[in-house]
Amino acid sequence: MKAVYIKELRSYFTGAVSYACFTLMFLIAGIYTWAINIQGTSGSFETTIVGMAFWMCLLPVPLLTMRIFSEERKQKTDQLLYSLPLKTTQIVMGKYFAAITVFFIPVAVVGIYPLIYSAFGNVNFASCYSTLFAFYLMGAALIALGVFISSLVENQIVAAIGTAVIIFFNYFLPYIAEYVSTSAFTSAIFLIVIGLVVGLIVFLMTKNSLIGLLTAVVLDFGLILIYYLKSDWLEGFLPRVMNGISVFDSLEAFASGIFDLTGIVFYLSIVAVFLFLTVQSLEKRRWA
C-alpha cells in the first residue's frame, strides 16, 4: 500500500492537478475571508468555513479524483495494478490516502488564518478548529465518493462531471426538501427510483444485467408491498432523508460550537461505504 501511496502522491505533484486544486482552494478561501471576516468585519471564522465549504469541494474534489481509476482503466494500466502482490483494498486505500493528503495541504494552510486573526481580537479556537476538522472529514467523504465514481467509468471527464453533479445536488438537498411533498406516495416513488439506481450500480459493478435487474425488482417489489400495507411508515420520509444525507448540513452544528459526534460518524460511514463499493467494483473487473 505504501508504494501505491507514494506513486500516486508523486503523480499529483508531477502534473498540474494538485496545483490547480491548491489555486482554486486558496482563491476561494481568500475571497470568503475577505468578504466575511475583513470586509464584513465578522470575527467568526466558523461562518467563513461553512460559507466556502461548497465551492472548496465542488471543483477541487472532482479534479483530485477524476483520474484515480478511470484514466488507468482507459489506458489499460489497471492490469498492472492487478498484477501487483497487493490486495485490492490496499490499492484503493493507497490511492485514497494520497488524494486526502493533497486535500489536507490547503486545509492546513487555511488553519493558520485563525492564528493570524487572534492577533487582532478574540478567536474561539475550539470552535474554529472543530469546524475545520469537520470540513476536512466532509471533503474526505466526498473524495471517497469521487474515487468510487472514477472506478465505474473510463473517461476522467465523465468521472469529474459525475462527481461534481452529485456534490452540487447534495448541497441543495435541504433547500429542495422544503418544497417536497410529505405524502407516502411521493416517498414511495422516490424509493422506487432509488431501487432502480441501486440495480444500475449493481449492473455497472458486476456487468451482469440479470443480477442488476433482479436487485432492482426485489427492492422495488418490497417497497410497493410496504406502501400498500404500511403506507404511514413512508409519510414525511422523503424530506427527512433529503435533510439527513446532506453532508454540508452537518457542518452547521460544528459552526455553532457543538462537537457533533453524529456528524463525525456520518462522514466516516460515507468513506467506508464508498471505499467498500470501490473495492467490490475493482474486484469484479480484476477477476473478469
Side-chain angles (χ1 to χ4, degrees):
M1 187 180 79
K2 182 180 178 181
V4 175
Y5 170 78
I6 294 173
K7 173 184 173 297
E8 195 68 20
L9 192 61
R10 186 181 294 117
S11 70
Y12 278 116
F13 291 99
T14 54
V17 172
S18 61
Y19 303 107
C21 290
F22 293 164
T23 301
L24 284 170
M25 294 182 76
F26 291 143
L27 179 63
I28 293 165
I31 291 172
Y32 272 87
T33 300
W34 178 83
I36 296 175
N37 299 119
I38 299 176
Q39 187 70 16
T41 65
S42 171
S44 174
F45 190 66
E46 305 92 298
T47 304
T48 305
I49 297 172
V50 173
M52 69 185 181
F54 172 62
W55 292 108
M56 289 274 277
C57 291
L58 180 64
L59 299 176
V61 168
L63 284 176
L64 283 174
T65 60
M66 64 181 184
R67 50 164 293 278
I68 285 183
F69 287 110
S70 57
E71 187 66 13
E72 299 220 30
R73 187 176 174 184
K74 181 180 179 181
Q75 296 179 356
K76 307 301 182 185
T77 54
D78 58 335
Q79 301 301 320
L80 295 175
L81 288 176
Y82 301 146
S83 65
L84 294 174
L86 295 173
K87 296 180 179 179
T88 306
T89 303
Q90 293 175 305
I91 295 172
V92 171
M93 295 304 293
K95 286 178 170 287
Y96 174 71
F97 283 138
I100 63 174
T101 298
V102 174
F103 186 77
F104 174 78
I105 294 172
V107 174
V109 173
V110 171
I112 300 174
Y113 291 10
L115 298 175
I116 298 173
Y117 295 156
S118 65
F120 303 96
N122 295 324
V123 175
N124 188 338
F125 288 110
S127 180
C128 281
Y129 287 112
S130 65
T131 306
L132 195 63
F133 174 67
F135 166 71
Y136 176 69
L137 286 184
M138 184 190 74
L142 294 175
I143 287 173
L145 164 68
V147 170
F148 172 60
I149 293 176
S150 180
S151 73
L152 296 177
V153 299
E154 292 187 7
N155 190 306
Q156 58 180 330
I157 302 301
V158 174
I161 293 174
T163 303
V165 167
I166 294 176
I167 293 173
F168 181 87
F169 184 68
N170 186 271
Y171 177 75
F172 286 100
L173 275 180
Y175 303 100
I176 299 173
E178 297 177 4
Y179 302 96
V180 172
S181 172
T182 59
S183 69
F185 178 76
T186 303
S187 297
I189 294 298
F190 169 76
L191 290 174
I192 287 172
V193 172
I194 292 297
L196 294 175
V197 171
V198 171
L200 177 61
I201 292 174
V202 171
F203 165 69
L204 291 172
M205 291 175 61
T206 63
K207 298 302 180 183
N208 189 314
S209 57
L210 180 59
I211 295 177
L213 180 61
L214 285 176
T215 302
V217 168
V218 169
L219 289 175
D220 287 344
F221 181 73
L223 290 169
I224 291 170
L225 281 180
I226 292 174
Y227 174 71
Y228 281 105
L229 298 177
K230 292 286 184 180
S231 61
D232 55 306
W233 289 2
L234 300 177
E235 291 181 359
F237 178 79
L238 180 55
R240 289 198 302 272
V241 169
M242 293 175 71
N243 281 302
I245 64 176
S246 174
V247 296
F248 296 94
D249 212 37
S250 298
L251 276 181
E252 296 288 346
F254 290 92
S256 301
I258 302 170
F259 191 82
D260 185 13
L261 286 176
T262 304
I264 300 297
V265 173
F266 175 55
Y267 291 139
L268 294 178
S269 299
I270 292 175
V271 171
V273 167
F274 281 112
L275 291 183
F276 172 78
L277 291 175
T278 303
V279 170
Q280 299 310 306
S281 175
L282 295 178
E283 278 287 344
K284 172 60 182 178
R285 194 157 62 249
R286 184 174 197 169
W287 299 110

